[in-house]
């Protein structure tokens, strides 16, 4: 029989919505299935996926709240009379952030309606390669058939189930942004960028915050930059328990959480109590209920992610996958959006353009932001050998920090280049204010194959932090002091 839809997208996050809306532009009959399974703590949200509801958007707004706290301290040096002590009210911030997120949920529903995309609030699973069985919260069944199906269900935070009490008493980033009351004294064990970002803004709004890390911070990022990020956070007031891992979480009579952990350096067992424990042990692909094995969609047995080719196609014809659910792709909203749009254009618009995952810029929104594009220094050495790369670097002081007498020890940038004659730029790394805004501009040049001599011909905008990139001239190889002096 004829399929009901030309395209059915399972998952109403960034990648899925972008794919569905793009396909609808070609006059195709498109539907989106989206269903939010409440977190173990009961938190749920509306249409839009992780980024909108429990990711980039609320995170950046709470990061901004913390930056404003720092600005209040600076303001006194600039002549503003601010009554001390200043106090932050979590509930006011949380309500404002949650209201904005709800407006985005509504906006997504309106957009789908405007573009004539059918929206089903159903949890979907495959019956066969063209048929999806959707269930409502109450268990009512709807059968949807489609010529092409795109899986874009993303991931959800994992719990360390081997830690006694972790699931019962801990929260994840799925819950933090929807808390009505302040989390109070918080412990966030394990160091993924989300745990550092959350620990950063919690510290910034005045909460006693501890990060517990068993090994290295920001795995997958340039490790010199990662160390500077955590160094700055320590000086900023975030506590770090290094080379430690938790063993149990117990609830005390006063409702506080007592955490016991092992310190691998000292071989000791230690304990402390917290108001909130927020796990950040990575994310797991949300595939459990999809019934992928029935239709033969292949996944990576270790990660659980769906294996796709360069055109986002799975092992089953007419079934595709985009975004965080796919193996070997960056877990980033903009890449999911771009991949989703390009997929729809290939399916319905006579395009053959594939998504290019090279030189994708990104930023970690820690108190001092870290933005990067291209290869880390470690990856460049691995690819080309240390003799064939040149690293230009500089420690600099943002002008804004001078009057406020802020420490700029960790404000640092480096550019990783090929050493051969043309000196093509392989990677750019920047720690400092507005890192995302800085890196976004340079990302275009690096995407276009920019070289070090071309960068040297680029005139800087004075006086900005980004300008310092256009003046990079000291190499690591030279051993010279890389501290920028003068204006």
């Amino acid at each position: 029989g004829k399929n009901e839809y030309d395209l059915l997208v399972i998952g109403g996050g960034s990648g899925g919505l972008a794919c569905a809306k793009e396909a609808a532009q070609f006059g195709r009959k498109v539907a989106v299935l989206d269903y939010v399974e409440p977190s173990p703590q009961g938190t749920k949200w509306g249409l839009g996926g992780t980024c909108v509801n429990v990711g980039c958007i609320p995170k950046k707004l709470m990061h901004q709240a913390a930056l404003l706290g720092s600005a209040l301290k600076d303001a006194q040096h600039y002549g503003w009379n601010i009554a001390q002590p200043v106090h932050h009210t979590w509930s006011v911030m949380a309500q404002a952030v949650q209201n904005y997120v709800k407006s985005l949920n509504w906006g997504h529903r309106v957009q789908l309606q405007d573009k004539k995309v059918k929206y089903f609030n159903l949890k979907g699973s495959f019956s066969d390669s063209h048929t999806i069985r959707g269930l409502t919260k109450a268990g009512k069944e709807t059968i949807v058939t489609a010529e092409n199906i795109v899986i874009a269900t993303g991931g959800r935070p994992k719990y360390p189930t081997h830690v006694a009490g972790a699931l019962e008493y801990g929260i994840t980033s799925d819950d933090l942004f929807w808390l009505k009351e302040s989390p109070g004294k918080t412990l966030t064990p394990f160091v993924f960028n989300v745990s550092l970002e959350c620990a950063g803004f919690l510290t910034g709004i005045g909460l006693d915050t501890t990060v517990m890390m068993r090994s290295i911070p920001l795995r997958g990022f340039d490790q010199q930059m990662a160390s500077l990020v955590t160094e700055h956070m320590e000086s900023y007031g975030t506590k770090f328990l290094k080379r430690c891992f938790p063993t149990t979480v117990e609830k005390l009579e006063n409702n506080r959480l007592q955490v016991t952990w092992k310190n691998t350096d000292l071989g000791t067992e230690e304990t402390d109590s917290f108001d909130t424990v927020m796990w950040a042990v990575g994310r797991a692909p949300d595939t459990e209920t999809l019934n992928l094995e029935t239709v033969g969609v292949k996944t990576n047995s270790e990660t659980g992610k769906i294996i796709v080719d360069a055109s986002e196609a799975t092992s089953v014809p007419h079934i595709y996958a985009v975004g965080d659910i796919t193996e070997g792709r960056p877990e980033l909203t903009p890449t999911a959006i771009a991949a989703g749009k390009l997929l729809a254009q290939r399916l319905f618009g006579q395009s053959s353009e594939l998504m290019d995952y090279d030189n994708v810029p990104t930023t970690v929104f820690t108190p001092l932001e870290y933005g990067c594009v291209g290869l880390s220094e470690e990856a460049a050495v691995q690819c080309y050998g240390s003799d064939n790369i040149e690293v230009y670097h500089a420690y600099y002081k943002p002008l804004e920090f001078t009057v406020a007498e802020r420490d700029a020890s960790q404000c640092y940038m480096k550019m990783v280049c090929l050493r051969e004659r043309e000196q093509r730029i392989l990677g750019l790394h920047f720690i400092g204010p507005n890192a995302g805004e800085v890196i976004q501009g340079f990302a275009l040049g690096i995407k276009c194959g920019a070289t070090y001599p071309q960068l040297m011909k680029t005139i800087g905008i004075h006086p900005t932090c980004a300008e310092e990139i256009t003046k990079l001239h000291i190499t690591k190889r030279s051993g010279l002091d890389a501290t920028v002096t003068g204006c």
Side-chain angles (χ1 to χ4, degrees):
K2 189 173 180 301
N3 289 312
E4 204 178 339
Y5 291 95
D6 297 309
L7 178 69
L8 172 66
V9 177
I10 310 171
S14 308
L17 290 174
C19 186
K21 289 186 287 189
E22 189 69 19
Q25 307 279 61
F26 293 104
R28 297 305 179 121
K29 202 172 175 201
V30 182
V32 170
L33 248 75
D34 187 61
Y35 185 88
V36 179
E37 191 67 57
S39 76
Q41 302 305 326
T43 311
K44 54 185 188 295
W45 51 85
L47 183 63
T50 298
C51 172
V52 163
N53 293 285
V54 287
C56 331
I57 300 294
K59 171 196 76 186
K60 178 85 186 282
L61 291 172
M62 291 188 180
H63 170 60
Q64 172 65 9
L67 292 182
L68 289 170
S70 299
L72 286 174
K73 291 183 189 134
D74 289 358
Q76 296 165 89
H77 294 274
Y78 281 93
W80 288 96
N81 295 316
I82 292 166
Q84 295 296 325
V86 292
H87 175 70
H88 181 269
T89 308
W90 174 278
S91 57
V92 174
M93 171 189 73
Q95 190 64 63
V97 169
Q98 289 159 17
N99 287 347
Y100 178 63
V101 168
K102 284 173 184 167
S103 78
L104 294 178
N105 298 149
W106 178 249
H108 281 307
R109 292 189 72 155
V110 170
Q111 276 185 357
L112 291 182
Q113 212 168 355
D114 287 349
K115 291 184 171 18
K116 297 183 172 53
V117 175
K118 176 73 176 161
Y119 165 59
F120 292 103
N121 185 206
L122 300 170
K123 188 195 285 191
S125 63
F126 282 93
S127 295
D128 64 46
S129 62
H130 289 284
T131 310
I132 295 292
R133 175 175 176 257
L135 288 177
T136 65
K137 188 182 172 187
K140 187 170 178 288
E141 186 184 271
T142 303
I143 301 294
V144 187
T145 62
E147 195 64 44
N148 300 282
I149 296 174
V150 174
I151 306 166
T153 49
R156 296 290 290 266
K158 290 192 278 198
Y159 271 84
T161 46
H162 61 281
V163 177
L167 193 62
E168 295 92 323
Y169 307 124
I171 66 167
T172 68
S173 54
D174 272 2
D175 308 292
L176 180 70
F177 303 111
W178 292 91
L179 293 178
K180 297 270 190 289
E181 299 300 326
S182 168
K185 181 182 176 183
T186 303
L187 172 71
T188 174
F190 302 96
V191 187
F192 284 81
N193 51 345
V194 69
S195 63
L196 284 187
E197 291 171 327
C198 293
F201 71 65
L202 292 175
T203 303
I205 61 175
L207 299 180
D208 181 338
T209 311
T210 303
V211 173
M212 184 183 290
M213 50 197 260
R214 186 169 190 168
S215 57
I216 61 170
L218 297 178
R219 191 178 297 281
F221 286 88
D222 187 284
Q223 282 303 293
Q224 182 192 4
M225 307 308 280
S227 296
L228 288 168
V229 165
T230 52
E231 263 175 45
H232 175 266
M233 285 182 69
E234 282 190 276
S235 67
Y236 182 73
T238 306
K239 301 182 184 106
F240 281 82
L241 292 167
K242 292 174 185 171
R243 296 186 56 73
C244 295
F245 63 93
T247 51
T248 58
V249 182
E250 296 165 277
K251 195 164 202 173
L252 302 172
E253 281 180 12
N254 60 4
N255 278 339
R256 297 197 89 200
L257 301 174
Q258 182 168 293
V259 182
T260 306
W261 65 87
K262 285 214 167 76
N263 183 320
T264 55
D265 274 347
L266 304 174
T268 54
E269 193 169 78
E270 296 164 24
T271 186
D272 195 3
S273 60
F274 300 88
D275 297 306
T276 302
V277 176
M278 190 195 94
W279 300 108
V281 298
R283 298 177 70 81
D286 199 1
T287 56
E288 262 179 49
T289 56
L290 289 173
N291 209 13
L292 297 178
E293 53 289 340
T294 300
V295 285
V297 171
K298 288 200 171 73
T299 58
N300 178 319
S301 56
E302 280 181 33
T303 62
K305 291 192 173 193
I306 295 171
I307 296 164
V308 290
D309 66 12
S311 68
E312 323 301 341
T314 70
S315 53
V316 179
H318 321 299
I319 299 178
Y320 303 86
V322 294
D324 292 7
I325 194 93
T326 51
E327 181 61 40
R329 305 287 196 235
E331 294 186 2
L332 296 169
T333 284
T335 51
I337 291 171
K341 282 184 179 174
L342 287 168
L343 173 57
Q345 288 162 13
R346 289 193 302 274
L347 287 173
F348 306 117
Q350 286 83 51
S351 168
S352 58
E353 187 184 349
L354 297 173
M355 175 64 188
D356 178 2
Y357 289 97
D358 281 341
N359 289 326
V360 171
T362 190
T363 291
V364 182
F365 291 100
T366 36
L368 198 59
E369 297 170 15
Y370 164 36
C372 59
V373 59
L375 299 182
S376 64
E377 187 174 344
E378 294 92 336
V381 167
Q382 206 175 356
C383 286
Y384 299 99
S386 54
D387 289 345
N388 297 315
I389 65 161
E390 197 73 270
V391 179
Y392 295 90
H393 67 149
Y395 287 91
Y396 69 100
K397 186 159 195 168
L399 184 64
E400 299 83 344
F401 284 22
T402 53
V403 169
E405 295 170 7
R406 267 169 77 171
D407 178 35
S409 310
Q410 290 86 23
C411 290
Y412 174 75
M413 58 185 71
K414 71 174 170 186
M415 183 182 293
V416 183
C417 302
L418 274 176
R419 205 175 169 198
E420 44 84 62
R421 192 172 52 85
E422 197 186 26
Q423 290 201 291
R424 183 165 60 84
I425 301 166
L426 301 173
L428 179 62
H429 302 264
F430 175 96
I431 291 180
N434 306 301
E437 312 297 343
V438 170
I439 286 293
Q440 184 69 77
F442 286 102
L444 170 65
I446 291 169
K447 193 77 177 165
C448 294
T451 63
Y452 177 72
Q454 287 170 333
L455 187 87
M456 289 300 96
K457 289 178 186 168
T458 303
I459 303 299
I461 298 170
H462 193 63
T464 63
C465 296
E467 174 193 21
E468 298 301 334
I469 294 175
T470 69
K471 301 194 291 190
L472 283 170
H473 65 284
I474 291 171
T475 65
K476 275 194 174 182
R477 194 184 303 278
S478 72
L480 295 171
D481 179 14
T483 307
V484 174
T485 52
C487 73

